[in-house]
Amino acid sequence: MKRPILLLAIFAATFCAGPLPVSAQTPVSKKKGVGLAERHGLGVAQLNALDVAWFYNWHADTTVKTGAKFVPMIFSEKRVGSHVVGDTVLGYNEPDNEKQSNMPVTDALAHWAAVAGKARRVGSPAMAGNPLKSEWLQAFMKGHPKVDFITVHWYKGADAKHFIRDLEEIHAKFNKPVWITEFAPQTAGSSEKEPQKFTDGQVSQFINETIRWMESTPWVEAYAWHDSKTGTSALFDASGELTATGKAYAAAKHASH
């Protein structure tokens, strides 16, 4: 008779303690990540607040010690000699943008074998523009480089249907898995000029709808919100606290279940 009494006691204790915290009920999605600009002092506290499974910092290594997985990036040909640790490496960052890695296709291809050789899987160079319309990426892919997944940056407003349509077209074009390593309604520059272009409600809805879709889409392997620092695409306010957008992104995994 001791076993039924023990089970009843456990049930009573659990019931009286109330429901488990949401974070305990729902594990962090392995897809959900963020770009973390460590040079601005961001680190473990921000990763924990956003409840992400992985992060990157546009560099090949990190000083942040956390349970979230770090994914290295070879930003440009100048960093090809960097040592990386991990089974995945991200390729050049916006080589079609003169303010980013700004690389000719010939240089990018000349160094690509060294980039791809650093890990088991390698992501394509991430375009500043639409990969489908990018002459840079088309010329790069004609060189038949090793590319295991297509890396995408997306800043076209708070329209989830537009986002989904673009990603479906990119996947159909390249027939490879996709990582969305930067996405938000606005870039940092756009947010600085028009910080209230979209409301908190519009951005939160965009987060919930896009993440629900990405979580249920097998060929979307990973995604990472881009913090605009200002406006309604920002994850943190001036004091370092989560904004309404930051809170929506932190909780968004629950919208996918």
Side-chain angles (χ1 to χ4, degrees), residues 40-42 46 227-231 234-244:
H40 295 306
L42 300 180
Q46 287 74 25
D227 186 356
S228 66
K229 305 296 188 296
T230 58
L235 295 172
F236 300 95
D237 61 24
S239 65
E241 297 297 318
L242 288 173
T243 61

Side-chain angles (χ1 to χ4, degrees), residues 49-203:
L50 293 171
D51 209 8
V52 295
W54 71 277
F55 73 102
Y56 74 105
N57 61 4
W58 295 273
H59 293 277
D61 56 12
T62 180
T63 59
V64 176
K65 306 299 181 183
T66 175
K69 178 181 178 180
F70 173 68
V71 179
M73 170 186 280
I74 302 300
F75 185 90
S76 70
E77 80 278 10
K78 296 178 181 178
R79 299 180 188 172
V80 170
S82 301
H83 175 68
V84 306
V85 176
D87 61 358
T88 303
V89 64
L90 300 174
Y92 312 126
N93 189 72
E94 298 189 356
D96 57 336
N97 183 349
E98 64 180 11
K99 294 183 179 180
Q100 295 297 317
S101 62
N102 190 30
M103 297 174 63
V105 174
T106 51
D107 288 357
L109 286 170
H111 295 286
W112 190 253
V115 175
K118 293 182 180 297
R120 183 176 61 85
R121 304 185 74 224
V122 59
S124 72
M127 298 294 98
N130 187 336
L132 294 176
K133 299 178 180 179
S134 171
E135 294 182 2
W136 195 103
L137 187 58
Q138 290 180 36
F140 179 81
M141 295 301 283
K142 286 180 180 178
H144 304 290
K146 172 180 166 58
V147 169
D148 296 293
F149 55 89
I150 301 298
T151 307
V152 177
H153 292 175
W154 196 96
Y155 299 99
K156 297 182 181 180
D159 185 344
K161 291 181 180 178
H162 188 179
F163 177 91
I164 292 168
R165 183 170 62 251
D166 280 357
L167 270 294
E168 288 176 335
E169 290 177 355
I170 291 169
H171 177 252
K173 167 69 175 179
F174 296 101
N175 194 29
K176 291 180 181 293
V178 174
W179 284 39
I180 303 93
T181 52
E182 292 185 19
F183 80 109
Q186 293 175 271
T187 63
S190 172
S191 294
E192 188 173 354
K193 293 177 182 177
E194 297 181 88
Q196 302 303 316
K197 184 175 182 178
F198 302 102
T199 67
D200 289 333
Q202 286 175 314
V203 177

